[in-house]
Amino acid sequence: MKKRGSLEIPWESPGEWQGVNTALAGQVQRFGAELETGSRRAREIQALLATLFPLMDELCAGTCPACAAPCCEVAVIWYNYADLLFLHLNGLRGPEAQPMTDSDAMCRYSGARGCTLPRMVRPWICTWYVCPPQMAMVREKGRAFRENFDRVVGEIKSKRKEMADIFVRVTSGSGSDI
């Protein structure tokens, strides 16, 4: 793990990335049925994310093309533990590498027309972060809309924590979650 300022990017090298993904895949296979509650949380997160994607597409279309400093080009982005658990528990194929390996580079998945990764496999930060111009668009939609957006994001965050806690509990031998 290389330090980037005060940030540490986990599993930055190809070997580390392959190792963590192989280990998680093995744990998911080994504990299969015992991880059903964690897998259910992952599926619930997937369904909630799907409700946010049309809004995120709208926000990005309305702001990103004219942005002087797009997040994908200036932010330090990586997959965290919960991101990888989400992918493995849902049986989704993740990307070949962390989005960044050099603090001076932009996200490797940033293309000419935006992100090249399907929304469902992007790191969570790439979904929940809403820049100030996008937040202005959310506010324009009204209070009820903003409250619903905040509720869904909060619910996803909560379920991600539950999913990770279940995985650790089951795989560490602290008890089954069936």
Side-chain angles (χ1 to χ4, degrees):
M1 188 180 323
K2 189 189 298 181
K3 211 167 185 162
R4 296 176 192 247
S6 63
L7 298 174
E8 292 184 7
I9 307 297
W11 321 298
E12 189 171 358
S13 76
E16 291 171 326
W17 182 254
Q18 182 180 3
V20 70
N21 281 288
T22 299
L24 287 172
Q27 293 289 68
V28 168
Q29 184 175 8
R30 177 178 174 207
F31 290 97
E34 293 177 82
L35 285 170
E36 181 49 40
T37 304
S39 295
R40 189 174 325 116
R41 290 296 172 277
R43 290 188 303 272
E44 291 167 356
I45 293 165
Q46 190 173 25
L48 287 165
L49 283 168
T51 69
L52 287 181
F53 293 162
L55 167 67
M56 298 312 297
D57 289 341
E58 179 183 340
L59 294 176
C60 290
T63 58
C64 297
C67 184
C71 307
C72 303
E73 296 178 14
V74 298
V76 179
I77 301 163
W78 68 87
Y79 284 83
N80 65 25
Y81 179 67
D83 293 328
L84 294 181
L85 284 178
F86 169 77
L87 294 174
H88 285 277
L89 290 171
N90 271 311
L92 297 171
R93 180 177 165 87
E96 296 299 315
Q98 280 283 29
M100 302 186 77
T101 57
D102 184 321
S103 61
D104 294 327
M106 65 182 194
C107 175
R108 75 175 66 234
Y109 302 111
S110 179
R113 300 182 59 113
C115 188
T116 60
L117 294 174
R119 275 210 180 269
M120 197 58 75
V121 301
R122 295 177 191 174
W124 171 230
I125 184 70
C126 297
T127 296
W128 74 258
Y129 178 74
V130 178
C131 70
Q134 290 173 339
M135 189 52 70
M137 289 176 68
V138 170
R139 279 193 297 276
E140 287 173 9
K141 292 183 174 291
R143 182 178 172 180
F145 182 89
R146 168 68 192 271
E147 288 173 354
N148 184 60
F149 177 80
D150 290 344
R151 180 193 59 75
V152 171
V153 167
E155 195 171 338
I156 292 170
K157 287 180 179 181
S158 175
K159 288 182 183 298
R160 282 170 53 90
K161 181 177 181 343
E162 289 175 32
M163 176 189 66
D165 289 348
I166 290 164
F167 187 85
V168 168
R169 188 169 47 251
V170 169
T171 60
S172 69
S174 299
S176 173
D177 235 55
I178 295 180

